[in-house]
Structure formats: structure tokens, C-alpha cells
Amino acid sequence: MGTFKIGQLAAAAGVGRDTIRYYERNGLLPAPDRTAAGYRLYGDVDLDRLNFIRSAQELGFTLEQARQLLTLTVSDTATAAAVLEITLAKIKEAEGRLERLSHIRDILRDLAQDCPGEAPASECPILVYLAAKRRPYQDKAMKKEPPGER
Amino acid sequence: MGTFKIGQLAAAAGVGRDTIRYYERNGLLPAPDRTAAGYRLYGDVDLDRLNFIRSAQELGFTLEQARQLLTLTVSDTATAAAVLEITLAKIKEAEGRLERLSHIRDILRDLAQDCPGEAPASECPILVYLAAKRRPYQDKAMKKEPPGER
DNA sequence: CTTGACCCTGGACCGTGGTCCAACCTGCAA
DNA sequence: TTGCAGGTTGGACCACGGTCCAGGGTCAAG
């Protein structure tokens, strides 16, 4: 407990020194006190914050979302509803990804099943599938959100 | 049929001109013939290649993998086994992601369920979860592969 | 002849989450 | 005193898959 320099905090949290400075630059950690020589000084709260961030990342939150969640934890006017909103959005996002991804897995699995090990690649149903005609592209003038599973 | 300039190919494939030049630089499309003025000239095979790439991307393949798959389709010595290998790896990858992601969704769903809409944020189980102590970090000296769902 | 649409090149820039580097300063031990 | 581990800064660089831009050339229509 007490105060650490950046290397100690980094070691305790399992991140790099640069990561801590990066978080500071991006508003995930407050600018810490400094020694006379300019060394950053941290306390247990900072370790807690780093751990919070890591937990949030493991749940798929971006750093920006982690920042928002941290703001809510220290706010004394925020209600749980704000946290719930972020979380519900994350759940929807996860479900969308799950659906797309399991669809992809199903297609790949079916194709792989029919693939004869020997035999020239040209007969492989996977390549046949990929080479199959697509409906010709029509504009829709939509931008954003490229293909892939996300 | 016949030959297009880059803008026509781009429109037909539903990608940007820059994307086509980017693919060329990265070996996904062969360097095309040029007019006397230096304009790129494409044919139907190029459209097929672009469509192949888009299909591959939709199945979650990276451009590098798409490039490998394209190489296999034109190779006359390659066997289906090589394609299968890439595909099986992709399936395993998809399954890993699915597992991690559905685990995340489950946790978020449980937390969201217990979250009281009104009430100060500090009582929200989501924030409580994120603020919970982690087992202190011990080195393991492993690098690579940060947290998150991937 | 000019206009506009299209094409060329090389290079910068985007988001995300860092990582690495040079050049310098500090604090402690031998 | 010197060495070395640690700290400081600003800025460059990584993957990935593009996107955009400036400064020029080309080509057909009016």
C-alpha cells in the first residue's frame, strides 16, 4: 500500500509503463502527483483503476467505454441506469457478433466436411464457394461497416 | 465482359478505386495491363478475383488468407488439403471466439439482470464486478495476446 | 479551347491499443 | 566517482484494411 512509482504500479497491475502513461494521456487515469524530480507517484486507487480497466477490457469494453464506466463509478449523481444502458448495448453487440460468427462457422464446417483431402484444389468446395457468382453489386450509397465478422 | 478501367471495376465490385490499387500493392490482384496513357485495364477475371476476396472476407478470412486461397485456386499442383488446412484453422478460431464471446455475454446478462435502474450507480452490480479485486498479477513472463474477446 | 470526369503517383491519415525509441535526468550503491 | 536501474519527454511505429489528398496527366463533349 502507500505510494508507488510507475514501474511498481505497472508490475502490480501487469501492464507496461508505457501503457500507464498512455492511459493518462487518454483520460483513463488522472494525472498523478509528482516527486520534486518529476516522477509520477501513485496510490492504491490507481491500482484499483487499472484493475477495473483490465476487467472491463476482458468483458469486451473498449477503453473509451471503460473511461465512461470509471466516470460513472466516481460520480455521485449517476444512477445505475446509465451503467445498464452501456451494458445492454454491449450485450446486443455481443449477440450480433455471436450470430454472425456462428453462421460463419456453420458454413465453414459444411464446406470443410465435403472437402476431399487429396484431389486438386480446384475441386475443393471451399474454393468453389468463394469463386461462386455474387449478385452484382448495386450501390445503395451506404458507407461504413465493411464485411467480415467484426 | 471485355475490359474496364479502374473506376468501372470498382463500381462493379462495390469497392473503392483505392481499394483496388491497395490490393494490387499487396499482391491480391496482379498488376494489370495499361493503356498507352498508363491507365489500368481489367477484365472479368479481375472482377472474379475481387468477388472472391469479398466472399472470403465475409467468412472472416484476412486479406493475407484470401491471398493464399487465391494462390491455391490458380495453382495446378495444390491439393484440396491445403485449403482444408486453412479452413479448419479458421473454424477453430471461430469456435474459440464464440466460446469467449458467449461467456462474456452470459456474465453481462447476469449482471444486467440484477441491476436496479434507479439507485446510485455505486450499487450497480456491474460496477461492483468491475471494481472487484483481481488476484494480484504475477509475471509468467508471457508476452503477446492482450485481453478482450478478440 | 475549355471543362469535367476520369486516371496516375506517392504519401499521409484513420481507429484501436498499445510498444519502442532517443536523449535526457535522478537516486542509490559500490 | 562512477555505474546502473529507474524515471522523464515527444514522437515514431506496429497491425489491419483501407481512405483521402495534392499535384499532375488524359480524354471526350460542348
PDB file of all heavy atoms in Angstrom, chain A residues 111-112 114-131, chain B residues 69 73 79-85 87:
ATOM      1  N   LEU A 111     -18.621 -26.726 -45.529  1.00  0.00           N
ATOM      2  CA  LEU A 111     -17.712 -26.776 -46.666  1.00  0.00           C
ATOM      3  C   LEU A 111     -16.547 -27.724 -46.379  1.00  0.00           C
ATOM      4  O   LEU A 111     -16.145 -28.528 -47.232  1.00  0.00           O
ATOM      5  CB  LEU A 111     -17.180 -25.380 -46.978  1.00  0.00           C
ATOM      6  CG  LEU A 111     -18.209 -24.382 -47.541  1.00  0.00           C
ATOM      7  CD1 LEU A 111     -17.617 -22.987 -47.598  1.00  0.00           C
ATOM      8  CD2 LEU A 111     -18.694 -24.820 -48.916  1.00  0.00           C
ATOM      9  N   ALA A 112     -16.027 -27.630 -45.169  1.00  0.00           N
ATOM     10  CA  ALA A 112     -14.870 -28.463 -44.810  1.00  0.00           C
ATOM     11  C   ALA A 112     -15.243 -29.936 -44.853  1.00  0.00           C
ATOM     12  O   ALA A 112     -14.433 -30.790 -45.234  1.00  0.00           O
ATOM     13  CB  ALA A 112     -14.358 -28.071 -43.423  1.00  0.00           C
ATOM     14  N   ASP A 114     -17.237 -31.481 -46.792  1.00  0.00           N
ATOM     15  CA  ASP A 114     -17.303 -32.021 -48.150  1.00  0.00           C
ATOM     16  C   ASP A 114     -15.970 -31.949 -48.873  1.00  0.00           C
ATOM     17  O   ASP A 114     -15.901 -32.284 -50.058  1.00  0.00           O
ATOM     18  CB  ASP A 114     -18.333 -31.233 -48.975  1.00  0.00           C
ATOM     19  CG  ASP A 114     -19.724 -31.409 -48.411  1.00  0.00           C
ATOM     20  OD1 ASP A 114     -19.903 -32.293 -47.555  1.00  0.00           O
ATOM     21  OD2 ASP A 114     -20.626 -30.658 -48.823  1.00  0.00           O
ATOM     22  N   CYS A 115     -14.939 -31.481 -48.187  1.00  0.00           N
ATOM     23  CA  CYS A 115     -13.677 -31.279 -48.886  1.00  0.00           C
ATOM     24  C   CYS A 115     -12.862 -32.563 -48.907  1.00  0.00           C
ATOM     25  O   CYS A 115     -12.566 -33.132 -47.862  1.00  0.00           O
ATOM     26  CB  CYS A 115     -12.878 -30.179 -48.187  1.00  0.00           C
ATOM     27  SG  CYS A 115     -11.322 -29.828 -49.003  1.00  0.00           S
ATOM     28  N   PRO A 116     -12.545 -33.036 -50.102  1.00  0.00           N
ATOM     29  CA  PRO A 116     -11.736 -34.241 -50.234  1.00  0.00           C
ATOM     30  C   PRO A 116     -10.275 -33.885 -50.042  1.00  0.00           C
ATOM     31  O   PRO A 116      -9.775 -32.982 -50.699  1.00  0.00           O
ATOM     32  CB  PRO A 116     -11.992 -34.662 -51.679  1.00  0.00           C
ATOM     33  CG  PRO A 116     -12.296 -33.389 -52.406  1.00  0.00           C
ATOM     34  CD  PRO A 116     -12.771 -32.374 -51.403  1.00  0.00           C
ATOM     35  N   GLY A 117      -9.601 -34.555 -49.148  1.00  0.00           N
ATOM     36  CA  GLY A 117      -8.215 -34.202 -48.845  1.00  0.00           C
ATOM     37  C   GLY A 117      -7.326 -34.199 -50.077  1.00  0.00           C
ATOM     38  O   GLY A 117      -6.798 -33.177 -50.473  1.00  0.00           O
ATOM     39  N   GLU A 118      -7.173 -35.359 -50.691  1.00  0.00           N
ATOM     40  CA  GLU A 118      -6.447 -35.416 -51.958  1.00  0.00           C
ATOM     41  C   GLU A 118      -7.356 -34.791 -53.009  1.00  0.00           C
ATOM     42  O   GLU A 118      -8.406 -34.309 -52.688  1.00  0.00           O
ATOM     43  CB  GLU A 118      -6.118 -36.865 -52.317  1.00  0.00           C
ATOM     44  CG  GLU A 118      -5.394 -37.609 -51.217  1.00  0.00           C
ATOM     45  CD  GLU A 118      -4.043 -36.973 -50.877  1.00  0.00           C
ATOM     46  OE1 GLU A 118      -3.230 -36.801 -51.804  1.00  0.00           O
ATOM     47  OE2 GLU A 118      -3.823 -36.630 -49.699  1.00  0.00           O
ATOM     48  N   ALA A 119      -6.960 -34.796 -54.211  1.00  0.00           N
ATOM     49  CA  ALA A 119      -7.723 -34.155 -55.303  1.00  0.00           C
ATOM     50  C   ALA A 119      -7.240 -32.722 -55.472  1.00  0.00           C
ATOM     51  O   ALA A 119      -6.913 -32.062 -54.498  1.00  0.00           O
ATOM     52  CB  ALA A 119      -9.231 -34.141 -55.017  1.00  0.00           C
ATOM     53  N   PRO A 120      -7.203 -32.273 -56.693  1.00  0.00           N
ATOM     54  CA  PRO A 120      -6.736 -30.915 -56.966  1.00  0.00           C
ATOM     55  C   PRO A 120      -7.579 -29.874 -56.245  1.00  0.00           C
ATOM     56  O   PRO A 120      -8.784 -30.064 -56.041  1.00  0.00           O
ATOM     57  CB  PRO A 120      -6.889 -30.785 -58.491  1.00  0.00           C
ATOM     58  CG  PRO A 120      -7.714 -31.942 -58.938  1.00  0.00           C
ATOM     59  CD  PRO A 120      -7.509 -33.011 -57.920  1.00  0.00           C
ATOM     60  N   ALA A 121      -6.940 -28.823 -55.855  1.00  0.00           N
ATOM     61  CA  ALA A 121      -7.607 -27.781 -55.083  1.00  0.00           C
ATOM     62  C   ALA A 121      -8.852 -27.263 -55.790  1.00  0.00           C
ATOM     63  O   ALA A 121      -9.829 -26.880 -55.150  1.00  0.00           O
ATOM     64  CB  ALA A 121      -6.641 -26.628 -54.825  1.00  0.00           C
ATOM     65  N   SER A 122      -8.810 -27.287 -57.112  1.00  0.00           N
ATOM     66  CA  SER A 122      -9.927 -26.712 -57.863  1.00  0.00           C
ATOM     67  C   SER A 122     -11.253 -27.409 -57.573  1.00  0.00           C
ATOM     68  O   SER A 122     -12.317 -26.845 -57.792  1.00  0.00           O
ATOM     69  CB  SER A 122      -9.626 -26.780 -59.365  1.00  0.00           C
ATOM     70  OG  SER A 122      -9.334 -28.118 -59.719  1.00  0.00           O
ATOM     71  N   GLU A 123     -11.163 -28.639 -57.068  1.00  0.00           N
ATOM     72  CA  GLU A 123     -12.411 -29.349 -56.759  1.00  0.00           C
ATOM     73  C   GLU A 123     -12.903 -29.093 -55.350  1.00  0.00           C
ATOM     74  O   GLU A 123     -13.973 -29.565 -54.962  1.00  0.00           O
ATOM     75  CB  GLU A 123     -12.198 -30.859 -56.938  1.00  0.00           C
ATOM     76  CG  GLU A 123     -12.116 -31.261 -58.397  1.00  0.00           C
ATOM     77  CD  GLU A 123     -11.760 -32.733 -58.534  1.00  0.00           C
ATOM     78  OE1 GLU A 123     -12.250 -33.529 -57.719  1.00  0.00           O
ATOM     79  OE2 GLU A 123     -10.978 -33.071 -59.435  1.00  0.00           O
ATOM     80  N   CYS A 124     -12.103 -28.405 -54.595  1.00  0.00           N
ATOM     81  CA  CYS A 124     -12.454 -28.175 -53.196  1.00  0.00           C
ATOM     82  C   CYS A 124     -13.690 -27.283 -53.110  1.00  0.00           C
ATOM     83  O   CYS A 124     -13.730 -26.201 -53.696  1.00  0.00           O
ATOM     84  CB  CYS A 124     -11.283 -27.510 -52.486  1.00  0.00           C
ATOM     85  SG  CYS A 124     -11.663 -27.019 -50.812  1.00  0.00           S
ATOM     86  N   PRO A 125     -14.711 -27.727 -52.396  1.00  0.00           N
ATOM     87  CA  PRO A 125     -15.964 -26.960 -52.326  1.00  0.00           C
ATOM     88  C   PRO A 125     -15.778 -25.591 -51.683  1.00  0.00           C
ATOM     89  O   PRO A 125     -16.569 -24.681 -51.926  1.00  0.00           O
ATOM     90  CB  PRO A 125     -16.873 -27.847 -51.473  1.00  0.00           C
ATOM     91  CG  PRO A 125     -15.958 -28.769 -50.750  1.00  0.00           C
ATOM     92  CD  PRO A 125     -14.763 -28.965 -51.615  1.00  0.00           C
ATOM     93  N   ILE A 126     -14.739 -25.463 -50.906  1.00  0.00           N
ATOM     94  CA  ILE A 126     -14.485 -24.165 -50.276  1.00  0.00           C
ATOM     95  C   ILE A 126     -14.128 -23.139 -51.345  1.00  0.00           C
ATOM     96  O   ILE A 126     -14.689 -22.038 -51.393  1.00  0.00           O
ATOM     97  CB  ILE A 126     -13.357 -24.287 -49.234  1.00  0.00           C
ATOM     98  CG1 ILE A 126     -13.809 -25.229 -48.118  1.00  0.00           C
ATOM     99  CG2 ILE A 126     -12.987 -22.933 -48.679  1.00  0.00           C
ATOM    100  CD1 ILE A 126     -12.676 -25.860 -47.350  1.00  0.00           C
ATOM    101  N   LEU A 127     -13.221 -23.539 -52.219  1.00  0.00           N
ATOM    102  CA  LEU A 127     -12.835 -22.622 -53.297  1.00  0.00           C
ATOM    103  C   LEU A 127     -13.977 -22.405 -54.273  1.00  0.00           C
ATOM    104  O   LEU A 127     -14.177 -21.302 -54.786  1.00  0.00           O
ATOM    105  CB  LEU A 127     -11.600 -23.154 -54.029  1.00  0.00           C
ATOM    106  CG  LEU A 127     -10.331 -23.195 -53.178  1.00  0.00           C
ATOM    107  CD1 LEU A 127      -9.145 -23.626 -54.017  1.00  0.00           C
ATOM    108  CD2 LEU A 127     -10.076 -21.852 -52.532  1.00  0.00           C
ATOM    109  N   VAL A 128     -14.739 -23.456 -54.494  1.00  0.00           N
ATOM    110  CA  VAL A 128     -15.908 -23.316 -55.370  1.00  0.00           C
ATOM    111  C   VAL A 128     -16.883 -22.294 -54.782  1.00  0.00           C
ATOM    112  O   VAL A 128     -17.381 -21.416 -55.484  1.00  0.00           O
ATOM    113  CB  VAL A 128     -16.609 -24.680 -55.551  1.00  0.00           C
ATOM    114  CG1 VAL A 128     -17.952 -24.504 -56.249  1.00  0.00           C
ATOM    115  CG2 VAL A 128     -15.706 -25.628 -56.336  1.00  0.00           C
ATOM    116  N   TYR A 129     -17.083 -22.401 -53.507  1.00  0.00           N
ATOM    117  CA  TYR A 129     -17.978 -21.451 -52.823  1.00  0.00           C
ATOM    118  C   TYR A 129     -17.474 -20.018 -52.972  1.00  0.00           C
ATOM    119  O   TYR A 129     -18.214 -19.097 -53.297  1.00  0.00           O
ATOM    120  CB  TYR A 129     -18.072 -21.819 -51.345  1.00  0.00           C
ATOM    121  CG  TYR A 129     -18.872 -20.850 -50.506  1.00  0.00           C
ATOM    122  CD1 TYR A 129     -20.226 -21.055 -50.267  1.00  0.00           C
ATOM    123  CD2 TYR A 129     -18.279 -19.727 -49.946  1.00  0.00           C
ATOM    124  CE1 TYR A 129     -20.965 -20.171 -49.499  1.00  0.00           C
ATOM    125  CE2 TYR A 129     -19.006 -18.827 -49.175  1.00  0.00           C
ATOM    126  CZ  TYR A 129     -20.342 -19.060 -48.957  1.00  0.00           C
ATOM    127  OH  TYR A 129     -21.076 -18.180 -48.201  1.00  0.00           O
ATOM    128  N   LEU A 130     -16.186 -19.848 -52.740  1.00  0.00           N
ATOM    129  CA  LEU A 130     -15.628 -18.494 -52.797  1.00  0.00           C
ATOM    130  C   LEU A 130     -15.652 -17.923 -54.210  1.00  0.00           C
ATOM    131  O   LEU A 130     -15.780 -16.717 -54.404  1.00  0.00           O
ATOM    132  CB  LEU A 130     -14.194 -18.488 -52.255  1.00  0.00           C
ATOM    133  CG  LEU A 130     -14.070 -18.738 -50.758  1.00  0.00           C
ATOM    134  CD1 LEU A 130     -12.613 -18.871 -50.351  1.00  0.00           C
ATOM    135  CD2 LEU A 130     -14.738 -17.616 -49.974  1.00  0.00           C
ATOM    136  N   ALA A 131     -15.529 -18.806 -55.182  1.00  0.00           N
ATOM    137  CA  ALA A 131     -15.497 -18.351 -56.569  1.00  0.00           C
ATOM    138  C   ALA A 131     -16.899 -18.192 -57.145  1.00  0.00           C
ATOM    139  O   ALA A 131     -17.067 -17.687 -58.252  1.00  0.00           O
ATOM    140  CB  ALA A 131     -14.686 -19.333 -57.418  1.00  0.00           C
TER     141      ALA A 131
ATOM    142  N   LEU B  69      -5.524 -18.270 -50.486  1.00  0.00           N
ATOM    143  CA  LEU B  69      -6.577 -19.068 -51.119  1.00  0.00           C
ATOM    144  C   LEU B  69      -6.611 -18.812 -52.620  1.00  0.00           C
ATOM    145  O   LEU B  69      -6.802 -19.741 -53.410  1.00  0.00           O
ATOM    146  CB  LEU B  69      -7.930 -18.750 -50.478  1.00  0.00           C
ATOM    147  CG  LEU B  69      -8.075 -19.215 -49.022  1.00  0.00           C
ATOM    148  CD1 LEU B  69      -9.341 -18.658 -48.389  1.00  0.00           C
ATOM    149  CD2 LEU B  69      -8.081 -20.747 -48.952  1.00  0.00           C
ATOM    150  N   THR B  73      -6.125 -21.453 -55.748  1.00  0.00           N
ATOM    151  CA  THR B  73      -7.084 -21.702 -56.828  1.00  0.00           C
ATOM    152  C   THR B  73      -6.402 -21.703 -58.187  1.00  0.00           C
ATOM    153  O   THR B  73      -6.842 -22.411 -59.090  1.00  0.00           O
ATOM    154  CB  THR B  73      -8.227 -20.669 -56.893  1.00  0.00           C
ATOM    155  OG1 THR B  73      -7.703 -19.417 -57.295  1.00  0.00           O
ATOM    156  CG2 THR B  73      -8.912 -20.522 -55.567  1.00  0.00           C
ATOM    157  N   THR B  79      -3.349 -29.227 -53.649  1.00  0.00           N
ATOM    158  CA  THR B  79      -4.460 -30.135 -53.392  1.00  0.00           C
ATOM    159  C   THR B  79      -5.442 -29.459 -52.441  1.00  0.00           C
ATOM    160  O   THR B  79      -5.119 -28.471 -51.780  1.00  0.00           O
ATOM    161  CB  THR B  79      -3.984 -31.443 -52.744  1.00  0.00           C
ATOM    162  OG1 THR B  79      -3.501 -31.145 -51.434  1.00  0.00           O
ATOM    163  CG2 THR B  79      -2.877 -32.086 -53.561  1.00  0.00           C
ATOM    164  N   ALA B  80      -6.608 -30.030 -52.398  1.00  0.00           N
ATOM    165  CA  ALA B  80      -7.659 -29.504 -51.538  1.00  0.00           C
ATOM    166  C   ALA B  80      -7.226 -29.490 -50.073  1.00  0.00           C
ATOM    167  O   ALA B  80      -7.739 -28.709 -49.269  1.00  0.00           O
ATOM    168  CB  ALA B  80      -8.933 -30.323 -51.707  1.00  0.00           C
ATOM    169  N   ALA B  81      -6.273 -30.361 -49.751  1.00  0.00           N
ATOM    170  CA  ALA B  81      -5.829 -30.457 -48.359  1.00  0.00           C
ATOM    171  C   ALA B  81      -5.300 -29.122 -47.843  1.00  0.00           C
ATOM    172  O   ALA B  81      -5.503 -28.766 -46.680  1.00  0.00           O
ATOM    173  CB  ALA B  81      -4.757 -31.531 -48.226  1.00  0.00           C
ATOM    174  N   ALA B  82      -4.624 -28.397 -48.717  1.00  0.00           N
ATOM    175  CA  ALA B  82      -4.062 -27.109 -48.298  1.00  0.00           C
ATOM    176  C   ALA B  82      -5.172 -26.117 -47.953  1.00  0.00           C
ATOM    177  O   ALA B  82      -5.070 -25.362 -46.986  1.00  0.00           O
ATOM    178  CB  ALA B  82      -3.184 -26.541 -49.411  1.00  0.00           C
ATOM    179  N   VAL B  83      -6.218 -26.150 -48.750  1.00  0.00           N
ATOM    180  CA  VAL B  83      -7.367 -25.279 -48.495  1.00  0.00           C
ATOM    181  C   VAL B  83      -8.046 -25.691 -47.197  1.00  0.00           C
ATOM    182  O   VAL B  83      -8.426 -24.855 -46.371  1.00  0.00           O
ATOM    183  CB  VAL B  83      -8.380 -25.367 -49.655  1.00  0.00           C
ATOM    184  CG1 VAL B  83      -9.552 -24.441 -49.393  1.00  0.00           C
ATOM    185  CG2 VAL B  83      -7.707 -25.034 -50.970  1.00  0.00           C
ATOM    186  N   LEU B  84      -8.155 -27.000 -47.048  1.00  0.00           N
ATOM    187  CA  LEU B  84      -8.818 -27.529 -45.858  1.00  0.00           C
ATOM    188  C   LEU B  84      -8.086 -27.104 -44.591  1.00  0.00           C
ATOM    189  O   LEU B  84      -8.702 -26.755 -43.584  1.00  0.00           O
ATOM    190  CB  LEU B  84      -8.884 -29.054 -45.960  1.00  0.00           C
ATOM    191  CG  LEU B  84      -9.736 -29.755 -44.909  1.00  0.00           C
ATOM    192  CD1 LEU B  84     -11.149 -29.195 -44.929  1.00  0.00           C
ATOM    193  CD2 LEU B  84      -9.748 -31.259 -45.146  1.00  0.00           C
ATOM    194  N   GLU B  85      -6.778 -27.119 -44.681  1.00  0.00           N
ATOM    195  CA  GLU B  85      -5.978 -26.757 -43.505  1.00  0.00           C
ATOM    196  C   GLU B  85      -6.283 -25.329 -43.051  1.00  0.00           C
ATOM    197  O   GLU B  85      -6.532 -25.062 -41.872  1.00  0.00           O
ATOM    198  CB  GLU B  85      -4.493 -26.881 -43.849  1.00  0.00           C
ATOM    199  CG  GLU B  85      -3.594 -26.755 -42.632  1.00  0.00           C
ATOM    200  CD  GLU B  85      -2.120 -26.846 -43.024  1.00  0.00           C
ATOM    201  OE1 GLU B  85      -1.840 -27.242 -44.182  1.00  0.00           O
ATOM    202  OE2 GLU B  85      -1.269 -26.507 -42.203  1.00  0.00           O
ATOM    203  N   THR B  87      -8.909 -23.639 -43.726  1.00  0.00           N
ATOM    204  CA  THR B  87     -10.303 -23.561 -43.294  1.00  0.00           C
ATOM    205  C   THR B  87     -10.506 -24.137 -41.902  1.00  0.00           C
ATOM    206  O   THR B  87     -11.224 -23.559 -41.081  1.00  0.00           O
ATOM    207  CB  THR B  87     -11.192 -24.291 -44.304  1.00  0.00           C
ATOM    208  OG1 THR B  87     -10.976 -23.735 -45.598  1.00  0.00           O
ATOM    209  CG2 THR B  87     -12.649 -24.156 -43.935  1.00  0.00           C
TER     210      THR B  87
END
